[in-house]
Amino acid sequence: MDHQITASTCCYCGVGCGVLIEHDGERILGVSGDPAHPANFGKLCSKGSTLHLTGDLAARALYPELRLGKSLARSRTDWDTALDHAASVFARTLAEHGPDSVAFYISGQLLTEDYYSFNKLARALVGTNNIDSNSRLCMSSAVVGYKRSLGADAPPCSYEDLESSDCVMIVGSNMAYAHPVLFRRLEEAKSRRPQMKVIVIDPRRTDTCDLADLHLAIQPGSDVALFHGILHLLLWEDWVDHDFIKAHTQGLPELENLVRDYTPQMVAQLCAISLEQLQQCAQWVGTSASFLSLWCMGLNQSTAGSAKNSALINLHLATGQIGRPGAGPFSLTGQPNAMGGRETGSLSNLLPGHRDAANAEHREEVATYWGVEQLPNSTGLTAIELFEQVRSGRIKALWIACTNPAQSLPDQTAVREALQACPFVVLQEAFRTTETAPFADLLLPAASWGEKDGTVTNSERRISHVRQAVVAPGEARPDWAITLDFARRLEKHLRPQQASLFAFDTAAQIFDEYKLLTQGRDLDLSGLSHALIDQIGPQQWPFPPGASQGTARLYGHGIFPTDNGRAQFIADPYCAAKEQRDARFPLTLITGRLRDQWHGMSRTGTAAQLFGHVSEAVLSLHPDELRRYRLQPGALISLESRRGAVILPVTPDENVRPGQAFLPMHWGDRFLKGGVNTLTQPAFDPLSKQPELKHSAVRIEPVELPWQLFALVEGDVQQHFERLRPLCEEFSYASLSLAGRERPALLIRAASASAPDRQLLHDIDQCLGLEAGAVLTYDDERRSIGKRVRIDNGRIIAIRLAGETLAQHWLQNLWLEGRATEQLRRWMLAPLSAPPGDGAAIGPGNKTLCNCRNVSHNAVCAGIGRGLDLQGLKQELGCGTQCGSCVPEIKRLLAATARPIAVIS
Ligand SMILES: Nc1nc2c(c(=O)[nH]1)N[C@H]1C(S)=C(S)[C@@H](COP(=O)(O)OP(=O)(O)OC[C@H]3O[C@@H](n4cnc5c(=O)[nH]c(N)nc54)[C@H](O)[C@@H]3O)O[C@H]1N2
Ligand SMILES: Nc1nc2c(c(=O)[nH]1)N[C@H]1C(S)=C(S)[C@@H](COP(=O)(O)OP(=O)(O)OC[C@H]3O[C@@H](n4cnc5c(=O)[nH]c(N)nc54)[C@H](O)[C@@H]3O)O[C@H]1N2
Ligand code: SF4
Ligand SMILES: [Mo]
C-alpha cells in the first residue's frame, strides 16, 4: 500500500500534541508534529518524535493467554474462550461474594470511550464502585483541590495563558522533561517578553530552572507553609484584590487567622530558603499584572496533596488572578487522558459528568439515563486501599487495564503479594513484557497507539480525536471493544433476556451516549461529536449544543460552580510529610521523571536510542554526601527504606541538595532488580487518597560485591531480555538497559558477593551466543575472572566480562564504533580499563545529550571549550535544532562555564 498520513495525537503526556503518522496501513513508518494542532503547532519533544521507533513487536501481547490453575503456565487461547471464561469467573464470584468482591483498576492512558465502557460495566452491570485508576497516583489531589476551592474539577486556563502571563510560578513540576512542548512555548514567550517573571519551586535544581528568574529549592513537602507564608506577605503588603475577594469569595477571615502565624522568618526557616527569596516571590505574585501557576506531581503526590492544591489556589483568589488572560491556577495533567478519566467519572468516588458516587441525586440521574434500577451506594476502594483488599482476600477477581501496578504502585512488596494472592487477575495490556504480566491469569492483548480510535482531553480541556492509522498486530483489539465484549457476555449471566446496555459498534457511538451525561453540567461537551471534531478541529470544553467553538477560559464572570457562586478560601494548616528523615533513615528520597523515558518503559524501553540520555538506574546524591559516605562515583550501595532495599550505583549531582537523594521513577524490577517502588510508601492524603510517591526516608548501607558482570549482546533485544532477565535473579545487583542506535544491544550490569556457580555463567554465555563461533576467551579460574568477546565480520557482537569489568567502557565503545582491533587480543590478557593510548571510552559522562541529532555531552562540552555559544553549537554540531528538548541542558552547561549560576539558592 502507498504511504499515507493519518492525523492523531501523541500517546504520552497531557500536553496532548497532534502527530501526523506516516504509515502504509500496516506499519508505522514515521511521525511528525501536526502543524494544525493547537496544542503544539507542529512541535514534538524527544519522546513524541521517536514514537515510530518504539513498540518492538517482539514485546507486544499478540493473542489472549489463559492460565487455568495458579501452578500452571499460561497458554494461548482464542478470544471467545478467554472472554467466556472471564465472564463465568466474574459471574460466579459475584454470586458467591457480592458485587464488591471484584474490582477494576484502569488508567489515564485509556481513551474516553474506553473509560466510559469500563464505568458503565462496573457501576451499571456489576454494581460496584470498586473502579479506580492510576490517576489516583497522579491527579486526585488536583481534583480535590479544584472541587474544594472552586466548586468543580475544571482547570480554568489555556496554554495561551502561559504565553501572555507576566508572572509564571512553576511548582513541583519539571516541565522541561515532563511537558516539553509546553515548556518550549514558555521559553519562546519569555524570549519575546524577557520581563515575564518565572519562579520555579522544586527541591531539586531541574532543567526547568534554566528559565527561572527565581528558584526556591524548598525542603521537600514544605509547599503549604510556603504558600501560607506568601499569603501572609500579600496581606501584610496589601497586595490583594479586595473587590474580587468581596464579590466572589468566602472564607478569608478564617484563613487570615491561620496565616497570621506563618511569619516570613518561620516560613523561610521551614522551607530552608532565604527571607529575600520569600519576599521576592511574594512581591512578584502580588504585583504582577497577571499571575499564573503551573503544578504537577511535586504538589499532588503527597500526604498533604489536597492542602497543597488549595493553598496555592488561595493565592489566586486573594489576588483575583483567575478568569483573565495570563492568570489562573493551572494544574498540568500527566497522562494523555487523565482529564477524560475525570470527566467520565473513572475514580471510585466519581460518576460520569463530574458527578459524585456518594451523591444520591447524581446516582439517580445516571441510573435513569442508563436505564438501570440503581447505582451502587457503597464506597468504592481507591488504588492503595484496593490493593490492600486484594491482599487481604476480600477482592477475588481483579481486572487491570492499561497500567502496570507491579511497577508503579508504592510499597511493591505488598502489591506483588496482593497480585500473587488474588484468585483471578485479568490484564488488558499492549505489551506482554511488563512487571504485572507474570501475575495475569488472563492476558488480553490490547491495540495501542496508532491502532485505535477515540478521544482524549488534554490539560487545557481540549478534546482531540485519536485516529487509527494501522491495523493492530496479531489479535490485539481496542480496549473499548474488549471491555464491551466482556460486558455483553457477563450480561448473559446477570441480566439474561434483557436488552444489552453495551450495544455499541464504534467509538463514536460510545461518545454520543456519554456526552449527554455532561449536558447542563460545568463541563458540558454535549455539542461535540467525533465528526464535528474532524470538521472544526480539537475543541476545549465546555462546548454546549449549538456552540461553534470551545471555551478558552473559565470563570471570567467571577461566578463559581459552588452552591452560592463564590469560591472558597481553604484554611488547612501545614502538616509535615508523613515520613521525615531521621537518625535511622537520614536521607529523603525523591522520585520523578527522566526526559526520554515514560513510566515503566514498556514502550520507551524498547528503543535503544532513548537510553542515550540516561543509560542506567543510578542514585543521584550531592557530592558532599558522596564524600560523607566515602563513596566513589559508580560505587554500588544498598538503598534502604522501612519497606525494602535496592542495590544500585551512586552518582554525584549538584542539583540535589545535601540530605536528599533522587531516583527516577522508571526503573521497575525488569530493569533494576527490585525496582524503585520497593522503597516508596503507601501513606496517602486523607481527602484525595493520593499516595506519597515523591518522598521516603532512606539510608545508604555499604555493600561488598566484588564479583561483577558486564554483558552486551547485539540484536533481538527483546528475546535476549526475556531469556537473560530471569538468570539475573541470582545476582544481588542487576541492571539491564539498551544501547546503540541503528544496531541496538542489550546491556547487563550485575554484581554479587562471590562468583556464581559455573552453570549460571554457562547459561548466560549460551544466551549471549558465546558458546561457539569466533570467540576470544580469557580465563583465570583462580581469581574467578573470565572474559569472552565474540567477533563477526570484524565487528564485536557480544561481550561478557565476569569477575572484573574494568574494560567495559572501552569495549562498549569498540562495539559502538564497529572496531575490533588486534589490540583486543592482547588486551584480553591484561586487567586494564583500556589499552594504553586508546582513550576513547563511553564513560558515564559521555551521554547522548541531543537525541535527534545524536550529539554527545562531551561533544557539546568540547564545543563550549572552543568558545561556541548556543547559536554556534547549534550550527556546528546540530544539537538542539530539532525537538529542542536538550536546549535547557545545553544552556546550563554554557552557564556553568560562563559564571556561577546566579538565580539558584
Ligand atoms: N518524560 C516524561 N514525561 C512525562 C511522564 C514520564 O513518565 N516521562 N509522565 C507523565 C505523567 S503521568 C506525569 S504525572 C507528569 C509528571 O510531571 P512532573 O510532576 O513535572 O514530574 P516529576 O519528575 O514526577 O516531579 C516533578 C518535580 O517535583 C519535585 N518535587 C518533589 N517533591 C516536591 C515537593 O515537596 N515540593 C515541590 N514543590 N516539588 C517537589 C521533583 O523534584 C520533580 O522535579 O509527567 C508526564 N510527562
Ligand atoms: N515512585 C514513583 N512512582 C510513581 C510515580 C512517581 O512519580 N514516583 N508516578 C505515578 C504516576 S503520576 C503515574 S501516572 C503512574 C503511571 O504508572 P503506570 O500506569 O503503571 O504507567 P505505564 O507504564 O505508562 O503503564 C501503562 C501500561 O499500559 C500499557 N499500554 C500502552 N498502551 C496501551 C493501550 O492502548 N491499551 C492497554 N490496555 N494498555 C496499553 C503499557 O504497556 C503500560 O504497561 O506511576 C506512578 N508511580
Ligand atoms: S510534549 Fe512530547 S510527550 Fe507530551 S504530548 Fe507532546 S510530543 Fe508527546
Ligand atoms: Mo501521572
Side-chain angles (χ1 to χ4, degrees), residues 732-756:
S732 304
Y733 157 67
S735 162
L736 287 82
S737 59
L738 273 52
R741 284 172 85 90
E742 285 75 30
R743 282 189 295 267
L746 176 71
L747 284 190
I748 302 175
R749 296 178 183 86
S752 49
S754 57

Side-chain angles (χ1 to χ4, degrees), residues 70 147 155 193 227 237 313 331 437 530 590 603 612 664 732 750 783 882:
K70 280 286 176 195
K147 284 171 80 170
R193 294 191 306 118
F227 300 145
E237 302 282 355
I313 298 175
S331 140
H530 284 201
I590 299 178
R603 179 179 281 283
S732 304
R783 293 165 58 218
Q882 285 189 6

Side-chain angles (χ1 to χ4, degrees), residues 693-710:
L693 285 157
K694 278 283 165 278
H695 314 135
S696 338
V698 293
R699 68 177 168 223
I700 283 175
E701 292 290 330
V703 285
E704 272 304 316
L705 302 172
W707 190 91
Q708 307 222 334
L709 176 100
F710 172 80

